[in-house]
Amino acid sequence: MTISIGHRRFEIAQPGNILLWLIAAFHMLLAASLLAVLFSVTPAAAADDSCAGKDLMAELKQSDPARYAEVVKEADAVPNGKGIFWKIEKPGLKPSWLLGSMHVTDPRVLNLPAYAQTAHDNADTIVIESDEILDEKKAAAALLARPDLTMFTDGTTIQKLLSPEDYARLDAGLKQRGIPLAAVSRMRPWMIASAVALPACEIARKAKGVQFLDQKIAADAVKEGKQVKGLETLAEQLQAMAELPMEFHLKSLIETLELGPKMNDVVETMTDLYLSGDVGMTIPMLKTVSPEEGGDGDYAAFEQRIILDRNKVMADRAAPILAAGNVFMAVGALHLPGDKGVIELLRQQGFTVTAVN
């Protein structure tokens, strides 16, 4: 496969672990939450808010038990990879709570377990990744303040960067989601890829005003008179994406398009893993369902900038808030596990963090 950037052309491998880009659509709060604001969704597309997808892990278990066992083994080795709800304690403080969230409108995800809902209702302070999501107009204004992070400002268009074949594929993929190509022609590839990676049902529900989990958590807190604090700005989140190479983003966009309907299966599988608390299996699963192995260097850069760097920012900025006790904090579930995840970083700050089943 060849992609071009200006007068330069790049030969890239066929689809590989770059599928991990999909994480960004749910991981990057802005890309996942503001599509209904950024893109025009047709009434027909907005009417179809039903999701369709199959559990790829269940399928793998039947078709290739040995490979399934390898995925399970890799997942079991991930520190703090089990559980999406955690108790944070330190002597002299009221306990606080940490929820790994998924930035989607899926009713199954929005329905918090009773113990998590109780913790939210009783907390003094609610912490989310970015409190700018409470007002979508202000969030859109934050985007407009940094157009260079979402748009080409030098006259470049996505058509100039893609081959005619890939450009036609992009046009078809966006039409399936009710998004006119003309509306996104000057958007940077990671913004367009977010639209392609999200299932049509997600875009439809957002267009109808359904709040995604983090947004609902924050909005409910405001209604209850609680203080809501953010750990990042939307611009900071997009800056992290912008710092990855353009070749990476173009390759991600093309390969996401090539997955076609299988994207719904990937999203359904991610959701099933989230609901079961097996967040440590998400990355091994994504690697397994990639059409080919490869692209580990790309993923390493993605993981460092989009996950690990932000883990540290979140943990550092959460520390003084948690010092007051009785906090309910919700951040993307993929920020929690690993030896450099938020859970481990909070333990390094002297907190005791234990899973709540």
Side-chain angles (χ1 to χ4, degrees):
M1 182 190 303
T2 301
I3 59 175
S4 59
I5 303 179
H7 297 296
R8 301 170 63 196
R9 296 179 68 81
F10 299 86
E11 292 294 332
I12 63 175
Q14 291 303 307
N17 287 348
I18 204 68
L19 170 62
L20 294 163
W21 156 259
L22 172 63
I23 298 171
F26 298 93
H27 211 62
M28 294 300 292
L29 194 57
L30 180 65
S33 66
L34 298 181
L35 285 174
V37 176
L38 295 173
F39 301 117
S40 298
V41 180
T42 65
D48 183 15
D49 61 0
S50 59
C51 295
K54 58 188 177 183
D55 185 348
L56 295 173
M57 291 306 296
E59 192 174 77
L60 180 65
K61 187 176 183 178
Q62 291 293 325
S63 64
D64 191 345
R67 182 68 185 110
Y68 176 81
E70 291 176 5
V71 174
V72 172
K73 182 178 180 180
E74 183 178 350
D76 287 344
V78 176
N80 309 312
K82 302 287 187 181
I84 60 170
F85 193 56
W86 299 72
K87 188 176 185 179
I88 304 172
E89 298 175 284
K90 182 179 282 191
L93 298 178
K94 288 185 177 180
S96 291
W97 310 90
L98 173 62
L99 174 71
S101 67
M102 195 172 181
H103 312 315
V104 296
T105 60
D106 190 314
R108 297 170 296 173
V109 173
L110 296 181
N111 187 24
L112 290 179
Y115 47 80
Q117 188 64 58
T118 298
H120 171 279
D121 294 343
N122 293 333
D124 293 328
T125 303
I126 305 297
V127 175
I128 55 176
E129 289 184 20
S130 174
D131 57 359
E132 291 171 295
I133 62 173
L134 279 166
D135 187 326
E136 289 190 339
K137 290 184 178 179
K138 288 184 179 179
L143 281 179
L144 294 174
R146 288 293 309 274
D148 56 304
L149 295 180
T150 58
M151 307 284 290
F152 291 114
T153 56
D154 59 358
T156 298
T157 65
I158 194 67
Q159 184 175 11
K160 295 178 181 179
L161 301 178
L162 297 176
S163 68
E165 295 78 12
D166 289 330
Y167 187 69
R169 193 180 298 142
L170 174 62
D171 187 21
L174 291 176
K175 282 180 179 177
Q176 291 177 357
R177 292 159 175 78
I179 301 171
L181 182 55
V184 303
S185 63
R186 295 188 180 278
M187 285 190 174
R188 292 190 176 272
W190 54 89
M191 296 301 293
I192 303 174
S194 297
V196 175
L198 278 175
C201 59
E202 271 295 316
I203 297 178
R205 286 194 294 251
K206 292 178 190 300
K208 292 178 178 180
V210 179
Q211 296 174 318
F212 62 97
L213 178 57
D214 312 61
Q215 197 173 36
K216 183 177 185 299
I217 286 172
D220 287 349
V222 170
K223 291 177 183 177
E224 296 166 4
K226 299 180 188 295
Q227 186 176 31
V228 177
K229 296 185 177 182
L231 299 176
E232 300 175 298
T233 66
L234 299 177
E236 285 176 325
Q237 291 189 347
L238 278 187
Q239 182 66 48
M241 291 304 306
E243 291 175 5
L244 295 174
M246 182 62 71
E247 302 97 288
F248 171 86
H249 290 300
L250 288 173
K251 185 164 59 172
S252 302
L253 174 57
I254 294 167
E255 294 183 1
T256 301
L257 285 167
E258 289 184 343
L259 282 170
K262 188 177 181 181
M263 187 62 72
N264 289 333
D265 298 335
V266 174
V267 174
E268 178 63 25
T269 307
M270 289 178 65
T271 304
D272 288 342
L273 292 176
Y274 173 81
L275 293 172
S276 68
D278 290 329
V279 292
M281 191 180 287
T282 305
I283 301 300
M285 178 276 292
L286 288 170
K287 291 179 180 178
T288 299
V289 302
S290 298
E292 286 185 8
E293 292 297 322
D296 288 337
D298 282 332
Y299 175 63
F302 173 85
E303 180 186 36
Q304 183 62 51
R305 189 64 190 93
I306 306 304
I307 301 179
L308 301 183
D309 288 353
R310 293 176 61 219
N311 288 351
K312 189 174 187 308
V313 169
M314 289 181 185
D316 287 348
R317 293 179 180 175
I321 305 174
L322 292 171
N326 201 24
V327 173
F328 183 96
M329 182 166 75
V331 299
L334 289 172
H335 288 293
L336 270 54
D339 56 6
K340 296 180 181 178
V342 169
I343 290 171
E344 196 58 41
L345 293 176
L346 290 178
R347 287 173 178 159
Q348 292 174 15
Q349 294 175 2
F351 292 100
T352 298
V353 188
T354 53
V356 179
N357 297 318

